[in-house]
Amino acid sequence: NRSTTSPALFNRCVVDWFGTWGCKAMGEVGREFTSKLDLGDAESVGGSWGIGDGEALMARVAEVFEGNSGGLRHAVVAALVDLHLIAKDTAESAAREPSSVTRTFLSPRDYLTLIQCFMTCLSRRREEVEDQQLHTNAGLEKLRQTQENVAELKQSLGEKTKVLRQKETLANEKLQQMVADQNVAEKRKVEAEKMSSEVKKQQKEIDARKDEAQRDLDEAEPALRSAQASVRGIK
């Protein structure tokens, strides 16, 4: 029984497969792992990623994306495959150096780790961008509300300014009327004072004539009484 003679092979045993995958296999795996990745409209709209050196990279996995080649998902998978191949070539070149004492082996599991790291970083970055977008939209909404409030206040200020000018015009008219009335009153006051002075003068003349008439009457009263007595004596 192999499970009893070699328990290490079946009990908590980790086996690393250091084989290699071809570009097509890595392309299929990359397409499968990124199938749930939301790329928006950029997946169907052409871009500049298939121009120049990018065309050769995308050609490696073009067979996997038949019918939907040239999209952003195609470019992403091609970039992941190229990154894995560059890291593998770099590790092999470093291992061939005379001073190298260790060797790094890159297996398909490292390629899967690369895809997972890419997905994690993309998800984290997308959350940051969405948060920034929310803050930006909130700020724009506040600016829009502020603009509307300013427009309303400006309109209200214009209406109040118009009313204020009307009231200022009315107040000026009333002030001018009050000034005119005051001038008329002052003129009438002057005329009344002048008339009062004339009345006092005339009153003095009347009093003087009254006194004079009273004196004449006092002087004539004895003669009148004497005449009355003479008249009674004749009877």
Side-chain angles (χ1 to χ4, degrees):
N1 190 348
R2 292 187 177 182
S3 63
T4 57
T5 57
S6 302
L9 295 176
F10 302 95
N11 186 19
R12 297 180 182 178
C13 180
V14 177
V15 178
D16 286 336
W17 176 34
F18 290 99
T20 58
W21 285 352
C23 292
K24 181 180 179 180
M26 288 190 292
E28 291 177 350
V29 172
R31 185 190 62 180
E32 183 66 24
F33 274 81
T34 60
S35 61
K36 296 182 180 180
L37 183 63
D38 184 12
L39 299 177
D41 296 336
E43 185 174 359
S44 58
V45 178
S48 60
W49 42 76
I51 299 176
D53 296 337
E55 184 177 2
L57 297 180
M58 295 176 69
R60 292 177 178 175
V61 294
E63 189 176 353
V64 180
F65 291 91
E66 291 182 358
N68 192 23
S69 61
L72 181 58
R73 192 180 306 277
H74 184 179
V76 169
V77 173
L80 292 172
V81 172
D82 188 61
L83 285 173
H84 178 72
L85 294 177
I86 290 174
K88 184 177 180 181
D89 293 340
T90 303
E92 292 177 355
S93 298
R96 288 193 295 268
E97 293 291 332
S99 59
S100 177
V101 294
T102 60
R103 183 173 182 176
T104 302
F105 293 94
L106 293 180
S107 67
R109 189 178 66 178
D110 297 309
Y111 176 64
L112 298 178
T113 303
L114 173 63
I115 296 175
Q116 187 63 36
C117 290
F118 169 76
M119 299 288 288
T120 302
C121 292
L122 181 62
S123 177
R124 185 184 302 113
R125 182 56 182 165
R126 174 169 290 175
E127 290 177 358
E128 294 176 357
V129 172
E130 289 177 352
D131 290 340
Q132 292 177 359
Q133 185 67 30
L134 289 176
H135 288 301
T136 302
N137 291 337
L140 291 175
E141 180 64 20
K142 289 183 179 180
L143 288 175
R144 186 186 64 80
Q145 293 178 356
T146 303
Q147 185 178 7
E148 292 178 355
N149 293 335
V150 170
E152 293 177 358
L153 291 174
K154 186 176 181 180
Q155 182 179 0
S156 177
L157 179 61
E159 295 175 355
K160 291 182 179 180
T161 301
K162 184 178 179 180
V163 174
L164 179 61
R165 289 178 179 175
Q166 293 177 352
K167 290 184 177 181
E168 287 180 352
T169 302
L170 183 61
N172 290 331
E173 292 177 355
K174 289 184 177 180
L175 180 61
Q176 292 176 359
Q177 183 64 34
M178 290 175 62
V179 171
D181 294 342
Q182 184 178 3
N183 292 334
V184 172
E186 290 179 353
K187 290 181 180 179
R188 290 180 178 177
K189 181 180 179 182
V190 172
E191 292 177 357
E193 291 177 351
K194 183 178 180 181
M195 186 178 296
S196 176
S197 178
E198 292 178 356
V199 168
K200 289 180 179 180
K201 183 177 180 182
Q202 292 178 359
Q203 185 65 34
K204 289 180 179 180
E205 293 178 355
I206 291 171
D207 292 340
R209 290 180 181 179
K210 180 180 179 181
D211 294 339
E212 184 178 357
Q214 186 66 36
R215 286 194 300 270
D216 293 341
L217 182 59
D218 292 339
E219 291 177 356
E221 185 176 4
L224 177 60
R225 290 178 179 177
S226 176
Q228 288 177 350
S230 297
V231 171
R232 284 195 299 266
I234 293 174
K235 290 180 179 182

